[in-house]
């Protein structure tokens, strides 16, 4: 188990959060994401926040339908989840983050 | 369009789809600036309707468009419609069209509150990019199956419809039909303005597609189901009964191509009338149609010949035998043959292809030979409805049409295959007469609306110089004589006439001779009289001379006596 965690530490997580303006949902999603990353991916993640109202072409190129959408670009394969990230279990499941053993 | 709205304030402004037939049944197209729901089972032609709406918008009305597909990729779409002559790639390259493909994962992990703003952003981005006036969202049900929170979806769908309206976009949203309702998610509740349903039914192994305008707020529309087909040119909604009976009628006559038939019809058919030629096999129906074809082509009119049983080559060869050269008109581009097997297509497909050809070729005359071929495999009521539609179509376009109808042996001759006779303006009935070991043809004008037509049966003679109609000859019992019997009878009549004629001649001659004799006698009498006159005159002359002579003698005597008196002195 120890061995496994060491392997994971090598990877830097790259997460893109796509929002549409500074709405309640956007703000919630940003804070939920930051909280979650600090808890599970401390020191090995970076977050990019893209407002589609400002950069609409990303919506097309990334095939985004719903906002907020979070895309795990790295590690591969790409994972895509939607919503304000308030349901932690679903976020962990969707991003395939292993919960830390208690 | 502006005129319509000023004239009728209650009338919605329309956005023409350019889809053959649809704009007629919808009174001009879709509601302008509104959203329309198009519902139908898989394979009913929803996507094609949408594509055509966009492409015709670009090509015919100068409206740019956005097509959002929730199923197919832009490449798939382009390939699917390339056979219809739609070049989606070119329109995209020229900035007239934007195709968005919305890829949806099978399972969307939903971690909390969300909305579909990203979709609106994409849509808006595309609309702005091409300056779109028309939008199609194809296969919206896929969006609903991708997300699990239907209440969010409904809210977002409502927002989408509102947004489209605010942007003043004329939009079609297509959706798969649910088992019991028009759409799986009850979307029709949110679309207030216009709902259209497509349907596909199989009857006697023939697929029949139908379109119905379920709801169209603020606009009159045909409420019936209209058959439509997807053919080589795309979506074709059948010609319409709702076109009604308000077409222009013409007083102009057109020739039937047969002089003696024109005489029967007091100059010919009316232009734009429909003519039914019925008869059993081999009565000369095609020949009558060929004469009309020939005559109209000769006048420079375009003619469409729909051949349902014979190939064009065969028709041309056969008509050459009665002295009609159809090939020359085909080569001159005035005559178009449309040969098709009745069994090869469903009824709607046939009529759609005819409709299409008419739209493109714009004929003045159409021949359908024979219309009875439509009977194959479909129930009679359907056929009749279709025929009403097609008769209306021709009438509206002012096309003169000849329907040939085959009467099956044993049927009453007056019975046309699909009760067409009540629809047409002129009905020529061809029949065979069997008499004296021969079968001969006869023609009767059963019906000719608005034409003082002859009530006489005519013998119909097919010769190497075409059709000739002859007055009928009756025998002593009043039976119609045709063929050899007719010729025999004619000879008898001619013989009797000859005898009669020589009798008259002889009597005339006798009178003449009598007159000559009389005149001779008069001449003799005159001569005798003149002779007597001369004799009398001669006698009178003699008498006069004698009197004169006597006078002279007396004078001389007197003179002499006087002289004697003078000589003798007294």
């Amino acid at each position: 188990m120890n061995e496994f965690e060491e392997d994971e530490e090598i990877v830097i997580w790259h997460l893109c959060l796509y929002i549409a303006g500074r709405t309640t949902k956007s703000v919630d999603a940003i804070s939920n994401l930051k909280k979650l990353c600090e808890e599970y991916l401390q020191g090995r993640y970076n977050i990019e926040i893209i407002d589609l109202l400002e950069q609409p072409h990303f919506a097309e190129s990334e095939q985004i339908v719903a906002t907020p959408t979070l895309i795990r670009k790295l590690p591969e394969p790409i994972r895509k989840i939607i919503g304000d990230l308030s349901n932690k279990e679903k976020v962990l499941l969707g991003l395939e983050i292993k919960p830390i053993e208690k | 369009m502006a005129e319509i709205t000023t004239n009728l304030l209650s009338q919605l402004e329309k956005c023409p789809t350019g889809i053959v037939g649809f704009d007629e049944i919808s009174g001009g197209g879709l509601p302008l600036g509104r959203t329309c729901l198009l519902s139908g089972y898989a394979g009913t032609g929803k996507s094609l309707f949408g594509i055509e709406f966009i492409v015709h918008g670009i090509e015919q009305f100068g409206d740019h468009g956005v097509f959002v597909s929730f199923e197919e990729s832009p490449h798939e779409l382009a390939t699917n419609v390339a056979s219809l002559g739609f070049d989606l790639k070119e329109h995209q390259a020229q900035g007239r069209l934007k195709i968005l493909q919305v890829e949806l994962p099978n399972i969307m992990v939903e971690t909390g509150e969300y909305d579909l703003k990203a979709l609106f952003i994409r849509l808006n981005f595309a609309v702005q990019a091409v300056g779109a006036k028309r939008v199609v969202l194809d296969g919206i049900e896929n969006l609903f199956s991708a997300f699990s929170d239907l209440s969010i979806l409904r809210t977002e769908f409502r927002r989408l419809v509102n947004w489209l309206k605010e942007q003043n976009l004329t939009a079609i949203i297509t959706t798969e039909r649910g088992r019991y309702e028009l759409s799986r998610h009850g979307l029709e509740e949110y679309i207030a303005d216009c709902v259209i349903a497509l349907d596909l039914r199989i009857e006697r192994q023939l697929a029949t597609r139908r379109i119905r305008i379920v709801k169209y707020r603020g606009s009159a529309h045909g409420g019936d189901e209209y058959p439509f087909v997807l053919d080589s040119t795309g979506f074709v909604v059948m010609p319409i009964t709702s076109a009604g009976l308000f077409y222009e009628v013409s007083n102009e006559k057109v020739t039937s191509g047969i002089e003696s038939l024109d005489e029967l019809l007091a100059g010919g058919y009316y232009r734009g009338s429909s003519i039914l030629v019925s008869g059993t096999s081999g009565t000369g129906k095609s020949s009558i149609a060929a004469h009309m074809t020939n005559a109209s082509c000769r006048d420079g009119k375009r003619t469409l010949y729909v051949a349902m049983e014979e190939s064009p080559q065969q028709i041309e060869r056969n008509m050459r035998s009665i002295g009609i050269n159809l090939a020359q008109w085909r080569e001159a581009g005035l005559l178009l043959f449309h040969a098709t097997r009745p069994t090869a297509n469903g009824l709607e497909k046939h009529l759609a292809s005819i409709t299409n050809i008419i739209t493109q070729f714009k004929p003045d005359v159409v021949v359908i030979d024979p219309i009875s071929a439509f009977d194959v495999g479909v129930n009679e009521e359907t056929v009749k409805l279709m025929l009403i539609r097609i008769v209306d179509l021709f009438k509206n376009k002012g096309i003169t049409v000849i329907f040939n109808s085959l009467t099956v042996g044993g049927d009453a001759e007056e019975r046309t295959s699909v009760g067409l006779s009540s629809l047409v303006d002129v009905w020529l009935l061809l029949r065979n007469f069997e008499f004296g070991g021969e079968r001969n043809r006869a023609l009767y004008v059963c019906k000719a609306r608005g034409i003082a037509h002859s009530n006489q049966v005519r013998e119909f003679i097919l010769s190497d110089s075409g059709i000739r109609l002859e007055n009928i000859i009756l025998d002593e019992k009043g039976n119609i004589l045709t063929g050899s019997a007719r010729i025999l009878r004619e000879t008898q009549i001619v013989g009797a006439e000859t005898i009669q004629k020589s009798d008259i001649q002889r009597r005339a001659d006798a009178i003449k001779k009598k007159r000559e004799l009389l005149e001779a006698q008069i001449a003799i009498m005159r001569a005798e009289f003149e002779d007597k006159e001369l004799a009398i005159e001669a006698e009178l002359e003699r008498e006069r001379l004698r009197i004169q002579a006597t006078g002279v003698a007396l004078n001389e005597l007197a003179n002499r006596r006087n002289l004697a008196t003078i000589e003798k002195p007294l």
Side-chain angles (χ1 to χ4, degrees):
Chain A
M1 197 55 77
N2 237 354
E3 215 178 287
F4 192 81
E5 279 187 6
E6 277 168 35
D7 271 354
E8 271 204 352
E9 272 179 77
I10 303 163
V11 182
I12 298 290
W13 284 56
H14 183 62
L15 301 168
C16 288
L17 181 66
Y18 296 89
I19 55 167
R22 298 277 156 177
T23 61
T24 323
K25 281 192 278 280
S26 310
V27 173
D28 287 352
I30 293 166
S31 72
N32 286 336
L33 179 61
K34 283 184 173 161
K35 226 186 289 171
L36 195 121
C37 285
E38 277 305 306
E39 193 174 341
Y40 294 96
L41 301 165
Q42 201 178 28
R44 49 185 179 115
Y45 70 91
N46 61 62
I47 298 171
E48 197 180 345
I49 295 167
I50 294 156
D51 190 342
L52 295 174
L53 290 180
E54 286 155 19
Q55 293 173 291
H57 59 276
F58 276 114
E60 195 55 48
S61 61
E62 297 294 339
Q63 282 290 341
I64 297 164
V65 181
T67 36
T69 288
L70 179 66
I71 298 178
R72 184 187 86 180
K73 296 255 170 132
L74 284 172
E76 287 191 315
I78 286 173
R79 288 283 174 265
K80 202 187 266 187
I81 61 174
I82 62 165
D84 63 9
L85 313 173
S86 56
N87 185 331
K88 206 158 97 181
E89 267 113 69
K90 279 201 172 176
V91 178
L92 295 176
L93 191 76
L95 293 179
E96 293 169 359
I97 297 174
K98 305 274 187 310
I100 288 163
E101 297 287 317
K102 289 203 170 152
Chain B
M1 206 170 317
E3 285 166 36
I4 297 168
T5 44
T6 46
N7 290 343
L8 295 157
L9 285 169
S10 60
Q11 194 95 23
L12 273 171
E13 266 196 278
K14 299 288 173 81
C15 177
T17 61
I19 291 168
V20 181
F22 180 79
D23 291 344
E24 279 96 330
I25 64 167
S26 58
L30 300 177
L32 187 73
R34 304 293 167 94
T35 300
C36 177
L37 185 72
L38 181 66
S39 146
Y41 296 112
T44 44
K46 300 185 294 293
S47 301
L48 184 63
F49 191 98
I51 284 277
E52 284 207 37
F53 171 69
I54 297 288
V55 172
H56 294 321
I58 293 167
E59 292 177 356
Q60 295 175 26
F61 308 104
D63 287 353
H64 291 187
V66 169
F67 191 94
V68 184
S69 173
F70 292 95
E71 283 166 303
E72 293 172 294
S73 72
H75 179 74
E76 280 172 322
L77 273 174
T79 315
N80 291 352
V81 298
S83 64
L84 303 173
F86 299 157
D87 193 346
L88 298 187
K89 288 188 173 148
E90 176 62 17
H91 288 316
Q92 282 174 281
Q94 296 298 319
R96 296 184 286 246
L97 168 68
K98 191 98 185 165
I99 299 179
L100 294 188
Q101 187 196 6
V102 179
E103 285 172 25
L104 297 161
N106 292 330
I107 302 156
M108 192 79 85
V109 181
E110 295 166 17
T111 66
E113 292 285 303
Y114 60 91
D115 55 40
L116 298 184
K117 266 195 191 144
L119 180 64
F120 296 169
I121 288 168
R122 287 166 73 178
L123 187 55
N124 184 48
F125 191 57
V127 166
Q128 299 302 325
V130 294
K133 292 226 171 66
R134 300 177 179 215
V135 170
V136 170
L137 294 142
D138 187 31
I140 198 90
E141 75 280 356
N142 292 291
L143 194 62
F144 280 76
S145 41
F147 295 93
S148 60
D149 192 336
L150 286 183
S151 65
I152 289 181
L153 259 289
R154 290 221 172 86
T155 312
E156 293 301 296
F157 183 75
R158 195 196 302 270
R159 205 202 299 246
L160 172 69
V161 175
N162 288 339
W163 180 81
L164 289 166
K165 200 169 171 180
E166 278 164 25
Q167 302 293 312
N168 206 23
L169 294 161
T170 309
I172 297 177
I173 296 177
T174 81
T175 178
E176 192 141 314
R177 198 167 176 162
R179 191 174 293 173
Y180 303 111
E181 61 277 292
L182 282 168
S183 63
R184 282 192 187 156
H185 304 283
L187 301 180
E188 58 270 27
E189 285 174 41
Y190 303 100
I191 309 264
D193 295 303
C194 181
V195 177
I196 298 163
L198 303 182
D199 189 19
L200 177 71
R201 267 173 256 167
I202 313 286
E203 280 171 16
R204 298 203 195 179
Q205 297 162 20
L206 289 172
T208 312
R209 294 164 196 273
R210 289 185 171 84
I211 185 168
R212 182 166 68 97
I213 300 174
V214 181
K215 163 161 130 184
Y216 198 147
R217 197 160 70 177
S219 169
H221 61 87
D224 301 338
E225 284 193 312
Y226 300 94
F228 72 92
V229 294
L230 310 176
D231 72 359
S232 60
T233 63
F235 206 99
V236 182
V237 180
M238 277 308 119
I240 317 112
T241 41
S242 62
L245 300 167
F246 302 104
Y247 30 73
E248 293 274 315
V249 294
S250 171
N251 290 319
E252 192 192 320
K253 291 264 186 141
V254 291
T255 176
S256 65
I258 305 160
E259 209 179 314
S260 37
L261 181 57
D262 286 350
E263 282 169 22
L264 273 187
L265 294 166
Y269 312 120
Y270 283 118
R271 190 172 64 77
S273 61
S274 42
I275 299 127
L276 173 68
V277 182
S278 78
T280 53
S281 211
T283 41
K285 296 181 296 296
S286 299
S287 306
I288 287 191
H291 273 77
M292 175 88 189
T293 306
N294 193 42
S296 59
C297 287
R298 199 169 44 220
D299 293 344
K301 290 177 181 160
R302 299 161 84 83
T303 303
L304 171 67
Y305 199 112
V306 182
M308 310 285 289
E309 279 176 354
E310 291 177 288
S311 71
Q313 292 80 5
Q314 202 178 337
I315 292 168
E316 282 180 8
R317 183 203 65 197
N318 295 351
M319 292 311 142
R320 260 198 303 277
S321 75
I322 56 166
I324 292 176
N325 178 1
L326 293 179
Q328 57 175 327
W329 307 126
R330 180 174 47 77
E331 282 154 15
L334 285 167
L335 173 61
L336 182 71
F337 278 105
H338 173 62
T340 171
R341 270 275 164 200
T343 43
N345 279 323
L347 183 62
E348 276 86 3
K349 203 120 187 170
H350 272 302
L351 296 179
S353 57
I354 293 171
T355 311
N356 251 326
I357 294 168
I358 286 168
T359 317
Q360 283 157 27
F361 184 63
K362 297 184 172 57
D364 301 285
V365 175
V366 173
V367 173
I368 299 182
D369 185 19
I371 190 87
S372 36
F374 284 126
D375 273 0
V376 179
V378 199
N379 69 53
E380 209 166 274
E381 192 192 354
T382 318
V383 178
K384 178 143 190 187
L385 279 171
M386 294 311 294
L387 289 175
I388 291 173
R389 289 194 161 106
I390 205 159
V391 166
D392 277 351
L393 168 79
F394 288 130
K395 285 238 147 95
N396 280 313
K397 303 215 180 240
I399 297 169
T400 314
V401 58
I402 297 191
F403 299 107
N404 282 350
S405 176
L406 178 72
T407 321
V408 182
D411 276 6
E413 274 163 337
E414 279 77 9
R415 182 186 178 275
T416 50
S417 48
V418 282
L420 188 60
S421 55
S422 62
L423 298 174
V424 298
D425 300 310
V426 176
W427 182 10
L428 304 179
L429 186 62
L430 296 174
R431 22 193 350 180
N432 280 319
F433 279 90
E434 203 165 322
F435 190 83
E438 286 178 9
R439 258 174 106 87
N440 293 298
R441 300 179 178 91
L443 177 144
Y444 175 60
V445 182
C446 242
K447 162 180 178 182
R449 282 179 182 154
I451 296 176
H453 57 281
S454 170
N455 62 352
Q456 286 183 327
V457 176
R458 296 290 156 106
E459 183 167 3
F460 177 94
I461 294 161
L462 271 176
S463 71
D464 55 10
S465 57
I467 293 173
R468 208 168 71 239
L469 297 180
E470 296 278 359
N471 286 328
I472 50 142
I473 302 251
L474 302 175
D475 68 6
E476 296 83 350
K477 290 173 194 156
N479 292 323
I480 294 169
L481 298 177
T482 56
S484 308
R486 170 207 179 88
I487 294 165
L488 184 66
R489 180 77 181 154
E490 273 177 344
T491 320
Q492 285 171 350
I493 291 167
V494 169
E497 276 174 0
T498 316
I499 294 164
Q500 211 171 21
K501 215 158 144 190
S502 59
D503 194 37
I504 291 165
Q505 187 63 43
R506 204 171 50 244
R507 282 153 78 178
D509 285 353
I511 288 169
K512 197 177 159 199
K513 284 214 178 82
K514 269 189 183 164
R515 175 178 290 276
E516 279 169 3
L517 192 64
L518 184 70
E519 275 169 3
Q521 282 173 338
I522 291 168
I524 290 166
M525 282 170 78
R526 179 172 285 135
E528 280 174 352
F529 174 75
E530 280 169 1
D531 200 37
K532 275 184 186 161
E533 203 177 29
L534 282 172
I536 292 165
E537 271 177 14
E539 204 169 317
L540 283 173
E541 182 64 16
R542 264 199 313 275
E543 193 65 15
R544 203 173 49 82
L545 288 172
R546 196 178 53 81
I547 292 165
Q548 214 173 3
T550 314
V552 171
L554 285 173
N555 269 347
E556 246 169 61
L557 195 64
N559 283 345
R560 277 182 192 187
R561 276 181 189 158
N562 282 349
L563 282 171
T565 318
I566 295 161
E567 279 170 5
K568 194 170 103 177
L570 290 165

